[in-house]
Amino acid sequence: MKNKYAISKNSHWLKYLAFIFLIFSVTHVYAAQTVDEILNEYYPYYNKKLECQSVVVDSSFYGVFSDSDNKAGYCVEIDRQVMVDTDVGKRLYVLVTGDIAFGEHDEGLTDSNDALFYQGLVGMFVLKPNGDGWKVESASPIMSAGAQGMGIRDWKLMHLAPNKWGFINEDGYEYSGYVVTSLVVLTPNGKNIIKSSIINSNFSAYNDLFNDEVKRLCDDIKAKLQHIDTSKVINGFYPLSFNLYG
């Protein structure tokens, strides 16, 4: 009887362990997500008329030129998706860009929700492997870049630190007669993304209206990124080398 009890007890534990393993396996598989599944959590709306994945954003949330409380709907898409081998394993860097396309409740733009007063949208994600899929390591889904409601495209992923990559692009706008362009740098920092801007051009669009004396005070200043100096590290990053004109 003792042996039969021991066998029965062992069988019970084996079934219990098998059940726990099954639950763990199902949970593990369920937790693994595709890139689209992850992005749909951050950009949860599908606009049927425009046929785009989208998000509705309060203009004051991420800093735009408009003082109104209107909300803007952005159609978003992946601009860049790059796999990188790091010291801690593979990482997938994803850049999402978006254009304003509709109002808070409308399927089209209205006068009260004019794209001219909004910037474009940019979002960056760093994903790490999770089983057969991915999970988020760093993310900032809603940042501003671009002008007149249009996001900027063709971002470049660059090696900015010994074990850190970031997206770089040029941005610019014209406001009250002045034109400003800048280099935008997006870098992961813990669970978030840091957006940095380096002004590389600043001049008046109305220089021809000024006399020569005023023009001398309005020199054009332009800078162009030459290269990233990977031979040294300053404050954890490789220095950016610029050529300055003006």
Side-chain angles (χ1 to χ4, degrees):
M1 293 294 295
K2 184 176 181 181
N3 289 339
K4 288 182 180 180
Y5 176 78
I7 292 173
S8 177
K9 186 176 181 180
N10 289 338
S11 177
H12 172 75
W13 276 106
L14 288 174
K15 290 179 180 179
Y16 178 77
L17 291 174
F19 175 75
I20 294 297
F21 177 78
L22 177 62
I23 293 297
F24 175 80
S25 299
V26 171
T27 303
H28 180 71
V29 171
Y30 180 76
Q33 294 179 292
T34 66
V35 174
D36 286 341
E37 288 172 340
I38 291 173
L39 295 183
N40 288 347
E41 292 183 358
Y42 291 90
Y43 312 108
Y45 308 113
Y46 184 77
N47 189 303
K48 294 181 180 179
K49 183 175 181 179
L50 300 174
E51 297 183 346
C52 69
Q53 202 67 30
S54 60
V55 63
V56 176
V57 178
D58 187 332
S59 62
S60 63
F61 179 75
Y62 62 100
V64 295
F65 298 129
S66 174
D67 294 328
S68 68
D69 294 327
N70 292 335
K71 295 185 179 181
Y74 287 84
C75 285
V76 299
E77 62 181 0
I78 295 176
D79 182 71
R80 283 289 182 273
Q81 192 172 218
V82 185
M83 185 84 70
V84 175
D85 287 318
T86 74
D87 291 346
V88 293
K90 291 185 180 296
R91 293 294 184 269
L92 185 62
Y93 282 72
V94 181
L95 193 287
V96 173
T97 188
D99 301 334
I100 181 173
F102 57 97
E104 180 180 1
H105 303 294
D106 302 319
E107 293 186 340
L109 293 176
T110 66
D111 291 338
S112 62
N113 195 14
D114 194 340
L116 293 176
F117 296 101
Y118 290 78
Q119 291 177 272
L121 181 144
V122 64
M124 178 177 165
F125 301 81
V126 181
L127 309 181
K128 60 181 180 181
N130 183 33
D132 294 332
W134 302 94
K135 65 179 179 179
V136 175
E137 182 174 76
S138 305
S140 287
I142 300 174
M143 298 178 284
S144 58
Q148 298 182 345
M150 302 292 290
I152 50 180
R153 267 71 177 175
D154 299 327
W155 290 78
K156 294 179 176 60
L157 186 70
M158 305 189 77
H159 197 183
L160 301 176
N163 201 38
K164 186 175 293 186
W165 285 255
F167 285 104
I168 293 181
N169 208 339
E170 288 189 352
D171 195 4
Y173 66 90
E174 180 180 339
Y175 185 69
S176 296
Y178 290 91
V179 177
V180 176
T181 61
S182 60
L183 189 74
V184 180
V185 183
L186 306 178
T187 52
N189 181 40
K191 294 183 178 180
N192 301 312
I193 305 296
I194 293 178
K195 175 190 170 188
S196 305
S197 296
I198 304 170
I199 294 178
N200 59 14
S201 177
N202 187 358
F203 62 93
S204 170
Y206 302 143
N207 268 352
D208 291 342
L209 300 179
F210 301 142
N211 58 40
D212 291 340
E213 183 178 355
V214 174
K215 286 182 179 180
R216 283 195 292 270
L217 301 177
C218 300
D219 289 340
D220 292 352
I221 299 174
K222 297 181 180 179
K224 185 175 180 61
L225 179 63
Q226 185 181 25
H227 70 278
I228 298 175
D229 186 358
T230 58
S231 66
K232 52 187 175 183
V233 178
I234 299 177
N235 294 331
F237 286 85
Y238 298 135
L240 304 180
S241 177
F242 288 84
N243 284 335
L244 184 65
Y245 307 91

